[in-house]
Amino acid sequence: MADSPRKRTDTTDGSKGQQTRERLLEAAAAILTEKGYSGTRLGDIAKRAELQAPAIYYYYDSREALIEDVVRRGQQSAQAHVENALAQLPDGTPFLERIRCAVEEHLRVVLNLSDFTTAAIRNMGQLPEAMRKQIRSDHKSYGELWQRLFEEAQSNGEIRGDVDVTAARLLIIGALNWSPEWWSTRVADIDDVVAAAIALTDGLIARP
Amino acid sequence: MADSPRKRTDTTDGSKGQQTRERLLEAAAAILTEKGYSGTRLGDIAKRAELQAPAIYYYYDSREALIEDVVRRGQQSAQAHVENALAQLPDGTPFLERIRCAVEEHLRVVLNLSDFTTAAIRNMGQLPEAMRKQIRSDHKSYGELWQRLFEEAQSNGEIRGDVDVTAARLLIIGALNWSPEWWSTRVADIDDVVAAAIALTDGLIARP
DNA sequence: GTCTATATTATGATAGAC
DNA sequence: GTCTATCATAATATAGAC
């Protein structure tokens, strides 16, 4: 059996095939965001990526494999950005401040960074069970990262003791995740959205 | 041309046809929530409503007409609940308190009240343009209701003057709208979610 | 009102030329 | 690597019996 170029996952290669693969992924992310999981047709992806539908099968074994790749990237890019931003913070930064940082970064990724994140968020609930299972493990560690921040902040006395931090955390992430549904430069400046999101987060602050 | 039973919109009639229509709507809402707009098949709806797919055409002219009815109901039920709750408040209730009330009601509707609201929220972004246009006019007045509350609260000095109330409002509604994606009784008690949502809202309070 | 065909169309996927 | 057929399947919608 000869080598197949399929299933390569490194993105650093600048060869023609890799470029086409990237175009394909970006096209798929855009269509996925716009039409949803079931509405995403290979024909539409191909048209946007400027090739013919059967060419997709040179890069992916199936429609599902392509979609899974898009969703996984969307998810990982959010996670990577936030983790990176948190890592920049000096030791001893208060947990509430770390949460503010995570809120800002997550929001900026979701609003700025291509369709990948939006595609992942918007379609997670409609993916077939088999795909969700694969993706959920990545998702889980991201959720735990947030959860730890909130729990530490609360046991530290930075966050009100009487709020359910799990609910608060999920509400906040939800607010951020939903923002692509309504945001455009006409509605509000991105910095104003960030400021508003942080203001809401500050509702959790413990006050004397 | 004989009368057709189609396009009747009153729900008060208990006749057999109306009962079937309700079963159909509920089935469609459930499938729509689970599979998304494009993934919603008449066959799946029919199976869940315990009839054969072609029978749907006795009640609706097309798949789209049925889906539009579901989405419109989902939207109107949220709006009606919140408006009703706000109307119960005594005159002179501070605007911040009205906002808390709207937050609580909207959240409870979204988490408690069947699949209609979830179906509307989850699929709004993926509906075909023609359908969205119809539905957006209802949606608009609901958004304006919220916007007025926030603007009054701010000009009243109840809400911080330095936050963009439009962004804040959309973030909050987003947090609420997203909650069905993660909420279950196992994650948190519904009252705790309400309390957390109100805590976040209180982040907007102007403090001396 | 609800059913059993069935017409029509669109889509994912394959075969095989270039 | 990418293309032009082409196959197989599945879904909306209609016709017409009951």
Side-chain angles (χ1 to χ4, degrees), chain A residues 40-42 54 57 62-63:
Chain A
T40 295
R41 314 280 177 223
L42 292 182
Y57 288 90
S62 68
R63 171 182 176 273

Side-chain angles (χ1 to χ4, degrees), chain B residues 15-199:
Chain B
S15 67
K16 186 180 181 195
Q18 277 303 319
Q19 283 181 311
T20 307
R21 181 188 290 266
E22 292 303 320
R23 272 204 340 272
L24 218 43
L25 282 164
E26 272 168 50
I31 304 288
L32 211 47
T33 298
E34 189 182 336
K35 303 284 184 82
Y37 170 72
S38 295
T40 295
R41 314 280 176 222
L42 292 182
D44 295 336
I45 295 172
K47 189 195 251 178
R48 194 178 181 112
E50 291 175 296
L51 41 65
Q52 298 302 311
I56 294 174
Y57 289 90
Y58 179 79
Y59 296 95
Y60 290 94
D61 288 337
S62 69
R63 171 183 176 274
E64 307 235 317
L66 167 55
I67 291 177
E68 181 168 338
D69 206 0
V70 170
V71 174
R72 170 165 281 140
R73 281 190 189 217
Q75 223 213 226
Q76 285 177 345
S77 82
Q79 175 158 10
H81 260 80
V82 171
E83 280 178 356
N84 182 59
L86 288 174
Q88 311 285 316
L89 296 177
D91 284 2
T93 303
F95 288 101
L96 193 71
E97 185 57 31
R98 292 177 205 230
I99 291 172
R100 288 201 193 97
C101 170
V103 165
E104 169 156 8
E105 277 313 302
H106 187 100
L107 188 53
R108 290 195 188 276
V109 169
V110 159
L111 291 183
N112 275 327
L113 214 84
S114 78
D115 288 310
F116 284 86
T117 324
T118 319
I121 292 169
R122 243 186 175 167
N123 293 291
M124 189 65 74
Q126 292 166 7
L127 300 178
E129 196 49 46
M131 255 185 71
R132 267 222 290 274
K133 222 175 159 183
Q134 283 297 315
I135 293 163
R136 233 195 277 268
S137 57
D138 302 341
H139 188 67
K140 200 180 160 216
S141 79
Y142 189 51
E144 287 167 349
L145 166 69
W146 280 80
Q147 183 69 16
R148 273 195 304 277
L149 290 178
F150 276 76
E151 283 174 2
E152 301 257 33
Q154 189 172 47
S155 58
N156 236 17
E158 300 175 40
I159 280 184
R160 288 169 49 175
D162 64 339
V163 298
D164 182 323
V165 286
T166 301
R169 170 199 126 221
L170 291 164
L171 283 167
I172 289 173
I173 295 180
L176 309 181
N177 281 349
W178 188 259
S179 63
E181 303 288 330
W182 54 263
W183 182 78
S184 81
T185 46
R186 275 177 302 105
V187 177
D189 190 85
I190 207 171
D191 293 327
D192 291 337
V193 182
V194 169
I198 290 177

